[in-house]
Amino acid sequence: MWALFMIKNVKKQRPVNLDLTTIRFPVTAIASILHRVSGVITFVAVGILLWLLGLSLSSEEGFQSASAIMSGFFVKFILWGILTALAYHAVGGIRHMLMDFGWLEETFEAGKRSANVSFAITVVLSLLAGVLVW
């Protein structure tokens, strides 16, 4: 009986507002979430790119098929997205390593600064990837 009383009290103390669209995340949280998302995108993309590589190396006809697949705008856009995700994941990973090694301060201000710098570096790398793809 006492346990039921405790459960009722715990449930009453939970937050009421769980609408994530009304919560404003700090830039450090956005950087962390995007780092995880870019890791998942990169993981999935490895399978797609390995399939495409295997197709291109299978025979001359396979290479022509892979070349035809890669010539479309939509596929180039997806490849650009994959390269952008890979670039952000690499930059974010380097940012985390620098913090782990103690070369970057672990304060909120330093975290905001390094997150903004990683966003800026990713934009530059994304533009370079766009030039490479197209």
Side-chain angles (χ1 to χ4, degrees), residues 8 15 31 70 94 112 122 131 134:
K8 288 181 182 179
M70 290 303 297
I94 292 169
K112 284 189 340 186
T122 302
V131 169
W134 278 286

Side-chain angles (χ1 to χ4, degrees), residues 14-30:
R14 291 187 177 172
V16 177
N17 183 12
L18 295 178
D19 184 14
L20 294 179
T21 60
T22 62
I23 299 172
R24 180 153 167 81
F25 291 109
V27 70
T28 54
I30 294 169

